């Protein structure tokens, strides 16, 4: 949400992706990071494609446990950045609508905070099914439309084309041939609930207000945002808590 801050001269922070190492961006980075950390075991000793890897920090985290990690992004400057910064990732340039991989060539496809950016979501999911080996899994996360753009027909984020709720995400995956194994929600844990109360009821709204105003951040807000850790978020099974209240959705889907 802190637009036009840069992570080095080659990778501007536009609001389309999040990057590590920036105090103003730390909340969003940690909210993404927790999903990589919680889902990493699914990638252990497997050939993994991260489709839409962005800055590359997640692909590099997965490389700690995977047999091989292929990164894919459509933006050439992002590809160059990942190749320079994360040499363990086999970084490639390509279109998510036509994945540049052979049929049945990977065990896992990771797609975190990307599907909401795509115009033809069904085409992309079909491509994921194609490149996965039988029994392989698609790990997908996306903002929950109900809480991310409440009461709106169009997304708040200008880089999003179509946001999904849990039922819509499940339907998308099942329609394109996947068996949906489980759905999780990302929620604020106790410490973030305290920070919400400290900042007028929502630390998210407080950050958005600063970004929209293009004004200096209050010192207390910046300090609290910079202090957020990935373990301040809870990843909860949809069977244990109302998934429609979640911030982000995480689906595990298996190719039959």
């Amino acid at each position: 949400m802190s637009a036009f801050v840069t992570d080095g001269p080659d990778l501007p922070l536009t609001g389309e992706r999040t990057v590590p190492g920036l105090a103003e961006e730390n909340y969003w980075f940690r909210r993404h990071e927790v999903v990589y950390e919680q889902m990493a075991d699914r990638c252990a000793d497997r050939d993994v494609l991260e489709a839409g890897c962005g800055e590359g920090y997640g692909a590099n985290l997965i490389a700690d446990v995977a047999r091989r990690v292929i990164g894919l992004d459509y933006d050439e400057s992002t590809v160059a950045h990942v190749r320079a910064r994360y040499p363990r990732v086999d970084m490639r340039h390509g279109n998510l609508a036509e994945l540049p991989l052979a049929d049945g060539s990977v065990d896992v496809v990771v797609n975190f905070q990307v599907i909401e950016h795509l115009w033809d979501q069904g085409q992309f999911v079909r491509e994921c099914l194609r490149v996965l080996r039988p029994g392989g899994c698609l790990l997908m996360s996306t903002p929950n439309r109900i809480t991310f753009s409440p009461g709106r027909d169009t997304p708040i984020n200008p880089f999003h084309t179509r946001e999904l709720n849990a039922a819509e995400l499940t339907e998308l995956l099942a329609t394109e041939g996947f068996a949906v194994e489980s759905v999780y929600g990302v929620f604020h844990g106790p410490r973030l609930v305290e920070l919400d109360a400290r900042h007028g009821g929502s630390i998210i709204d407080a950050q958005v207000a600063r970004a929209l105003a293009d004004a200096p951040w209050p010192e207390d807000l910046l300090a609290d945002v910079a202090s957020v850790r990935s373990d301040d978020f809870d990843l909860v099974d949809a069977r244990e808590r109302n998934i429609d209240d979640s911030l982000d959705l995480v689906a595990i889907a298996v190719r039959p």
Side-chain angles (χ1 to χ4, degrees):
M1 290 295 180
S2 49
F4 307 117
V5 180
T6 61
D7 179 40
D10 62 329
L11 202 60
L13 180 60
T14 62
E16 188 174 11
R17 60 179 165 245
T18 189
V19 302
L22 299 174
E24 297 89 344
E25 184 69 8
N26 185 59
Y27 169 88
W28 302 101
F29 169 67
R30 299 301 181 187
R31 182 164 145 180
H32 293 183
E33 184 184 43
V34 65
V35 179
Y36 284 100
E37 292 175 345
Q38 294 292 319
M39 294 290 117
D41 284 351
R42 290 275 180 163
C43 301
D45 301 318
R46 296 184 175 183
D47 296 326
V48 179
L49 166 68
E50 184 171 13
C53 68
E55 194 274 341
Y57 65 86
N60 188 59
L61 185 154
I62 293 168
D64 287 339
V65 298
R67 180 167 53 229
R68 179 188 185 196
V69 179
I70 301 168
L72 181 69
D73 205 275
Y74 74 97
D75 181 72
E76 292 183 356
S77 64
T78 298
V79 172
H81 171 88
V82 175
R83 286 174 175 166
R85 186 165 184 173
Y86 304 113
R88 296 189 299 175
V89 178
D90 177 5
M91 190 63 197
R92 304 183 187 182
H93 178 255
N95 189 336
L96 298 191
E98 297 180 1
L99 297 176
L101 276 75
D103 295 359
S105 56
V106 294
D107 303 300
V108 181
V109 175
V110 172
N111 183 247
F112 292 160
Q113 304 295 316
V114 174
I115 190 73
E116 66 276 5
H117 294 265
L118 304 182
W119 288 103
D120 193 338
Q121 296 175 342
Q123 169 66 16
F124 169 67
V125 174
R126 288 191 294 274
E127 279 291 279
C128 292
L129 191 76
R130 179 184 65 80
V131 303
L132 279 168
R133 294 165 182 147
C137 68
L138 169 61
L139 307 177
M140 180 175 286
S141 76
T142 190
N144 178 10
R145 176 175 59 79
I146 295 173
T147 57
F148 199 80
S149 297
R152 291 175 59 97
D153 294 328
T154 57
I156 291 175
N157 189 318
F159 295 102
H160 293 181
T161 61
R162 179 196 175 209
E163 294 172 354
L164 304 163
N165 62 28
E168 292 163 343
L169 176 60
T170 301
E171 180 182 18
L172 171 66
L173 296 171
T175 297
E176 303 304 338
F178 279 96
V180 179
E181 179 181 301
S182 51
V183 177
Y184 295 83
V186 176
F187 295 86
H188 281 181
R191 183 168 174 272
L192 278 167
V193 170
E194 292 179 5
L195 294 183
D196 281 332
R198 188 182 303 174
H199 295 282
S202 172
I203 195 171
I204 298 172
D205 289 348
Q207 293 175 81
V208 172
R210 289 299 90 206
L212 293 177
D214 194 23
W217 286 54
E219 290 186 6
D220 61 337
L221 175 61
L222 184 58
D224 283 343
V225 168
S227 74
V228 174
R229 306 180 304 268
S230 60
D231 59 8
D232 289 326
F233 296 90
D234 293 335
L235 194 65
V236 183
D237 192 297
R239 293 167 293 187
E240 300 175 8
R241 189 167 176 180
N242 185 358
I243 194 68
D244 289 341
D245 292 335
S246 67
L247 301 168
D248 297 319
L249 307 168
V250 183
I252 300 174
V254 177
R255 178 189 169 181

